[in-house]
Amino acid sequence: MRSVATSLVGRDEELESIEAFLARATEASSALVLAGEPGIGKTSLWRHGLDAAEDAGVRTLAARPNEAEAAFAYAALTDVLATVREETAPLLPEPQRRALEIALLLEEPDAATERHGVALAFLGVLRMLAEDAPVLVAVDDVQWLDRASADVLAYAARRVDDEPVGFLLARRVERDGAPSGLERAFRAERLETRTLRPLSLGAVHRLLHERLGRAFARPVLRRIHELSGGNPFYALELAEALEREAGRLDRDGPLPLTLEALVRERLVGLPRATRRVLAAAAAGAQPTVALLERAGESDALASLAPAVEADVVAVENGRVRFTHPLLASGAYALAGVAERRDLHRILAGLADDPEERARHRALAAPGPDPEVADALDAAASQARRRGAPVVAAELGERAVALTPPGRVHDRQRRLVETALFHFESGDSSRARSMLEQIAGELPFGGERARTLVALARVRSYDDDLRAATALFEQALAEAEDAQVRAAAHEGVSACLFRRRERHADGIDHGQAAFELARELGNRPLLVEALGSRMLHEAILGRPAAARTLEQALALRGEGTGERVLRDPRFAAGVLRLWWDELERAHAEFEELAAAARATGDEASLPYVLFMLAQTECRLGAFDEAAARAEEANELTVQSGQEWLEAYAHALRALADAYRGREDGARAAAARALALAGATGSAPAEQFALTALGHLELSLGRPGDAWSHLEPVVVWAEREGADEPGAVPCLPDAVEALVEAGRLDEAEEALGRLEVNARRLGRASAEAACARLEALLAAARGEREAAAAAFERALAAHEHVPMPLERARTLIARGAFLRRGKRKREARESLEQAVALCEEVGAAVWAERARSELGRIGGRAPSRGELTPAERRVAELVAEGRTNREVAAALFLSDRTVEGHLSRVYMKLGVRSRAELARRFAST
């Protein structure tokens, strides 16, 4: 008896690749993909890698999905975790453990499971195992991975980096040779793809001799090699067909049958009872001997014996597995349509899982059937609760197809639900087309209003906020149900805020949604309505925002919904950022980011990262802000939401502009503006323009700066955006006008900004206004007024930790003092500015400060004298803090702290942290 899986003849290079891969994977995350056409020998090499890993003490988690399993949620994940679930599940955080157990059908869901919770649990299992020994996740026939399992594996693959976790994958290469979605999750430098080449003539000779025990004449061997194309499976089939006289290989004779026909011919030669049991095995997801006997085969093992002898199937621990996918497809195809329906009807009666039972019933149904459609509908809901919306969408499509024409209401409801399953799974284009179709079919009224709300939700996250707003408003005109009206009012309010338009209308819609949600007792919607209303109130500078914030926070913890974005602390953090409560806002967003990661809420995480990036930009932690923007960008690219991707690029541009990285800022801003123009992402456009304006201003190009910032200024005036914190570029715009010599325009713009800064008590805006007042006075030759304004600016800076803004005031003041021949004071001001700019990594502003210093004559600072930034770092290190703790305390990057510490060692002549501590203890 031979195995259809090829031997390792002629695979020396591939074996070396596997050996090298396993060595890499024991140190850090690595992936090896064995790719090739059917029958080329992928599985044999995959098995060799699995065996080699186990021999080396690597913990192996393996799955071999088949075509029948591809439609079942978490089928492969169940196999991957089979040997470790009982060991690791109890050690997971309870939300993750429960999400995993529900996904694997080990617990009943009581609500919809967040699929990211399942992914997070799997990641936790991998990291847990990797602490004790290297781990290998091995998946054969990746092309048959079910989508839910593939998403979970991809999530983990993107996040295990330094952990010793390897991924050994084998997949079929069809005509296009495109990589699987799972492969795209790996970083390029950590991924090796080995495409298996055809065997040489000599390798085919060795293979046939080894497996069939005979040597073929050279002309026949050449013909086998030529016709098989070096494919080992095809070569063996041809050789066996020749031995059975099922085909001729003479060059002048007829060509042999195709591979599929050879497979068919091989199966047709088996007894009828064997072919029937093989068809039943091919129809099942995970066929076992016991299942086949329950399906009507009195002695399934005896019926399978000829197939085992022919190496069509293998029976291992009671489980029946085809030795090659083509054989499974051939066995299923040999059964007629009626026989296949009969098999699925029998298997449906034996299936314990409602999802599997519904699928079999669907395949057994000759046409629309209300009971089967209902079963598929229920199975789709279960799949959604298990956190598998892709499977839910596929089951929902089947339910729609089998819904009888007379059940119009059921069909429409299922279409809407299925569309939302598609949307949740990331296929927004499919969701949109389905919902647009339904909306076009429905008459004016309540049912259509419900569909319009769903379509508006999709459009709001898809590509067009204006279209989404119009759909929500149309739903309001048709809605008959209070729940639909509440959702539509909240949708209009949220869309208007994201568009940064019609804020007064946004408040009214938010209030209407709030009142309806309160009547309905819908707390999640209640909090969302308050949040939308609050943001509109705040951007307009209305005092009511503070009262709405208190009202929203009072509802926290009372069933406010599963999403982090529904936590009122998110909107609270936005307001605290605008209101100069920067450390508190930063702590709030850090907690929310941790919560999003802990629960796998990656739909909310990008928004939290955006706000963290903005907060860190104001705190001067530009490296950290750039890292947040990059992480958010990765998440948004994966979800395909271009308007969010635009936001991420804009914030990266802002961080780069503050750091003085001109090329990076321009490239990121250009990308953001292109995406914002296509999607209508107003925040992304404004932040990209803010970045470009700041960059040009720092480079001494005020005219170019104003050209970028003017549209934002015009928007703020038109929309009544009086909250200075919501429009942080306004001081730069005024400064650009001053430096461009447009003093009257600058004075007018400054007046509006000052009124709002004082009315609302925003220290950062008051500091910026005082600096701008000083620059205006200096430009007009009013030196006493300018000097007083600079002092007011520095006093105001003491109330809010924005180091770059303070540094800019010190630079402007130093230049002013230098021109007034007050050299000592000018030097002190500029030296402080250099230290602050170096501390936060603002390279261009640091250079401007050094340039002004170079224009001052007299004594330069001593080489051994520490700058204020260096002294702060040295003092904290001397207290025994680590570099990471110092970085956190001063809002610096680890690299910046290391640079400061190196200069401290050099200037003070010390070589260790202990020496530094003694030096400071003696002073």
Side-chain angles (χ1 to χ4, degrees):
M1 180 178 71
R2 70 170 177 83
S3 170
V4 172
T6 65
S7 73
L8 302 180
V9 171
R11 295 301 184 196
D12 293 344
E13 290 184 8
E14 288 81 358
L15 292 172
E16 290 177 3
S17 289
I18 291 173
E19 184 179 343
F21 155 71
L22 290 175
R24 293 194 304 272
T26 58
E27 300 295 331
S29 179
S30 184
L32 174 63
V33 179
L34 303 170
E37 63 184 19
I40 200 69
K42 304 179 297 298
T43 296
S44 290
L45 286 164
W46 179 84
R47 284 174 173 164
H48 172 82
L50 202 60
D51 292 342
E54 290 175 346
D55 291 344
V58 176
R59 193 72 175 269
T60 58
L61 313 179
R64 294 190 61 198
N66 58 48
E67 187 171 6
E69 294 173 342
F72 291 89
Y74 301 117
L77 184 65
T78 301
D79 288 344
V80 167
L81 292 174
T83 60
V84 298
R85 186 194 58 77
E86 291 185 359
E87 167 192 345
T88 57
L91 304 177
L92 292 169
E94 180 58 21
Q96 295 177 27
R97 184 204 64 77
R98 178 158 172 74
L100 186 62
E101 302 283 75
I102 290 172
L104 301 183
L105 294 176
L106 298 170
E107 288 190 19
E108 286 294 324
D110 51 15
T113 298
E114 172 55 58
R115 67 186 188 277
H116 294 301
V118 182
L120 201 69
F122 179 64
L123 176 62
V125 167
L126 289 186
R127 286 175 168 164
M128 200 183 303
L129 295 173
E131 290 180 358
D132 297 327
V135 179
L136 179 69
V137 179
V139 181
D140 190 18
D141 281 323
V142 168
Q143 73 277 0
W144 301 132
L145 260 180
D146 63 276
R147 174 67 181 275
S149 295
D151 287 347
V152 169
L153 293 178
Y155 180 94
R158 286 191 292 269
R159 287 160 179 79
V160 288
D161 195 3
D162 296 328
E163 291 94 344
V165 178
F167 291 80
L168 179 62
L169 312 176
R171 67 162 167 86
R172 181 182 297 185
V173 173
E174 304 294 355
R175 293 178 181 176
D176 60 0
S180 67
L182 175 55
E183 290 167 63
R184 290 191 288 272
F186 298 101
R187 288 165 43 191
E189 65 271 20
R190 297 288 177 91
L191 173 68
E192 177 187 359
T193 300
R194 172 71 65 170
T195 302
L196 275 62
R197 297 175 299 174
L199 293 181
S200 66
L201 179 66
V204 169
H205 164 69
R206 293 195 300 275
L207 172 68
L208 298 182
H209 187 270
E210 175 185 308
R211 308 308 276 279
L212 302 181
R214 61 162 291 189
F216 290 86
R218 193 71 171 176
V220 175
L221 180 64
R222 286 186 181 278
R223 188 65 169 150
I224 290 174
H225 183 262
E226 175 187 344
L227 293 172
S228 69
N231 183 300
F233 180 80
Y234 203 170
L236 284 165
E237 289 295 327
L238 286 167
E240 287 198 335
L242 181 63
E243 286 194 324
R244 295 191 305 269
E245 297 183 355
R248 296 182 58 193
L249 301 182
D250 296 338
R251 184 164 295 280
D252 295 332
L255 289 173
L257 302 172
T258 64
L259 179 57
E260 290 79 5
L262 279 170
V263 168
R264 178 184 176 85
E265 183 272 332
R266 180 173 170 187
L267 293 168
V268 166
L270 296 172
R272 177 74 182 86
T274 300
R275 294 202 306 271
R276 177 173 173 79
V277 75
L278 288 177
Q286 295 186 341
T288 63
V289 173
L291 176 67
L292 295 174
E293 290 180 345
R294 291 172 63 203
E297 296 296 331
S298 58
D299 191 349
L301 205 54
S303 297
L304 285 169
V308 173
E309 181 64 27
D311 209 19
V312 173
V313 295
V315 179
E316 302 170 353
N317 300 318
R319 184 170 178 178
V320 181
R321 180 179 292 280
F322 284 88
T323 54
H324 196 279
L326 284 175
L327 296 170
S329 299
Y332 187 77
L334 273 178
V337 173
E339 183 179 353
R340 290 199 296 265
R341 284 180 179 158
D342 186 51
L343 284 172
H344 285 296
R345 179 185 57 77
I346 294 170
L347 291 171
L350 299 175
D352 295 324
D353 176 18
E355 181 185 320
E356 182 178 358
R357 185 164 55 250
R359 285 181 184 279
H360 284 305
R361 292 184 68 184
L363 291 168
D369 185 310
E371 291 185 3
V372 176
D374 288 345
L376 286 164
D377 198 3
S381 297
Q382 174 179 280
R384 168 62 189 88
R385 290 195 299 272
R386 291 173 63 201
V390 172
V391 176
E394 190 264 329
L395 289 166
E397 295 261 18
R398 287 177 178 265
V400 170
L402 290 177
T403 301
R407 297 178 64 171
V408 176
H409 178 75
D410 284 345
R411 177 182 175 276
Q412 290 170 344
R413 175 183 60 78
R414 285 168 181 161
L415 279 168
V416 172
E417 290 175 352
T418 300
L420 293 176
F421 292 151
H422 279 300
F423 174 58
E424 188 177 346
S425 72
D427 191 352
S428 58
S429 61
R430 175 64 178 152
R432 174 179 166 183
S433 65
M434 290 179 70
L435 290 168
E436 286 177 338
Q437 176 191 342
I438 304 162
E441 295 174 359
L442 289 169
F444 185 99
E447 285 301 316
R448 198 173 101 98
R450 193 181 304 276
T451 302
L452 291 175
V453 167
L455 178 57
R457 290 288 183 199
V458 172
R459 294 299 301 271
S460 71
Y461 284 91
D462 183 9
D463 61 354
D464 195 336
L465 285 171
R466 291 186 183 278
T469 308
L471 287 166
F472 278 126
E473 291 173 333
Q474 182 61 36
L476 282 173
E478 301 185 30
E480 300 166 356
D481 179 86
Q483 182 71 39
V484 175
R485 291 187 61 79
H489 275 301
E490 197 284 323
V492 174
S493 183
C495 283
L496 290 178
F497 179 75
R498 285 163 58 192
R499 286 168 53 184
R500 300 297 194 267
E501 292 179 3
R502 294 167 47 195
H503 296 294
D505 288 346
I507 292 172
D508 292 341
H509 281 288
Q511 179 63 25
F514 169 77
E515 291 171 357
L516 286 167
R518 183 171 56 189
E519 292 173 10
L520 293 165
N522 187 332
R523 288 193 177 277
L525 185 56
L526 192 69
V527 174
E528 285 187 278
L530 282 173
S532 295
R533 191 183 86 194
M534 178 195 340
L535 290 169
H536 285 293
E537 291 170 341
I539 206 168
L540 293 177
R542 295 190 179 180
R547 295 191 295 273
T548 307
L549 173 59
E550 290 179 8
Q551 192 176 5
L553 290 174
L555 291 171
R556 184 169 178 261
E558 297 185 24
T560 55
E562 60 184 23
R563 298 278 189 196
V564 165
L565 288 183
R566 287 179 174 171
D567 190 321
R569 288 182 302 164
F570 179 78
V574 175
L575 268 58
R576 298 194 200 288
L577 169 64
W578 291 352
W579 296 348
D580 288 338
E581 300 173 33
L582 300 185
E583 286 102 338
R584 189 172 180 184
H586 190 269
E588 205 104 83
F589 291 131
E590 284 278 27
E591 289 179 15
L592 291 170
R597 291 188 175 99
T599 59
D601 184 5
E602 290 199 3
S604 297
L605 187 54
Y607 294 89
V608 182
L609 293 172
F610 293 154
M611 298 313 303
L612 270 170
Q614 292 180 48
T615 308
E616 286 162 346
C617 276
R618 298 194 192 189
L619 288 166
F622 304 131
D623 291 344
E624 288 80 355
R628 307 284 192 186
E630 282 302 301
E631 182 182 356
N633 185 54
E634 180 184 344
L635 293 169
T636 58
V637 169
Q638 293 162 14
S639 68
Q641 292 177 288
E642 288 190 340
W643 78 272
L644 282 179
E645 186 185 347
Y647 206 160
H649 284 297
L651 290 172
R652 176 57 192 264
L654 191 65
D656 278 350
Y658 287 139
R659 294 188 294 185
R661 300 186 180 184
E662 183 176 356
D663 291 344
R666 292 193 192 284
R671 178 65 175 154
L673 289 171
L675 289 170
T679 62
S681 178
E685 179 183 24
Q686 291 174 8
F687 276 109
L689 292 173
T690 296
L692 291 171
H694 183 92
L695 180 67
E696 299 293 3
L697 187 63
S698 68
L699 293 170
R701 302 167 186 163
D704 292 338
W706 172 252
S707 68
H708 290 302
L709 298 175
E710 184 181 17
V712 186
V713 174
V714 170
W715 161 81
E717 293 175 359
R718 182 185 70 243
E719 298 296 334
D722 289 347
E723 172 54 62
V727 199
C729 71
L730 291 180
D732 281 357
V734 177
E735 188 166 336
L737 289 172
V738 173
E739 291 194 7
R742 298 164 63 173
L743 303 186
D744 290 344
E745 294 172 76
E747 185 174 15
E748 182 181 352
L750 175 58
R752 289 193 295 271
L753 181 58
E754 278 183 319
V755 167
N756 290 321
R758 290 171 183 165
R759 176 175 66 87
L760 298 171
R762 305 290 181 252
S764 63
E766 289 184 285
C769 286
R771 179 177 74 235
L772 294 168
E773 186 181 336
L775 290 172
L776 259 175
R780 288 172 169 159
E782 302 167 0
R783 297 194 59 81
E784 289 186 10
F790 275 127
E791 297 310 312
R792 288 200 309 276
L794 290 175
H797 282 307
E798 295 294 331
H799 298 290
V800 59
M802 296 175 64
L804 181 56
E805 285 301 295
R806 181 179 180 85
R808 290 176 61 183
T809 297
L810 289 167
I811 292 171
R813 177 175 177 269
F816 168 75
L817 293 170
R818 177 189 62 77
R819 288 191 293 270
K821 310 300 182 184
R822 296 164 64 177
K823 294 183 179 181
R824 182 183 62 79
E825 295 171 88
R827 183 182 299 281
E828 289 176 356
S829 188
L830 293 168
E831 284 176 349
Q832 289 182 51
V834 169
L836 282 171
C837 290
E838 288 181 345
E839 185 175 310
V840 300
V844 174
W845 288 106
E847 185 56 36
R848 283 184 64 162
R850 282 192 290 269
S851 176
E852 285 292 339
L853 271 172
R855 298 177 185 179
I856 301 174
R859 181 184 65 82
S862 166
R863 239 184 105 73
E865 189 177 315
L866 299 181
T867 67
E870 291 166 350
R871 176 165 291 279
R872 281 194 289 272
V873 169
E875 287 171 347
L876 292 175
V877 170
E879 291 175 5
R881 300 199 196 188
T882 65
N883 285 9
R884 179 164 293 184
E885 289 170 340
V886 173
L890 299 178
F891 291 102
L892 302 176
S893 67
D894 291 351
R895 187 183 303 173
T896 302
V897 171
E898 289 169 5
H900 283 319
L901 195 55
S902 296
R903 289 190 291 274
V904 168
Y905 281 5
M906 181 182 66
K907 289 181 178 182
L908 299 183
V910 299
R911 298 183 179 180
S912 68
R913 302 171 87 89
E915 281 189 62
L916 182 64
R918 288 195 294 272
R919 172 70 66 90
F920 270 77
S922 65
T923 58

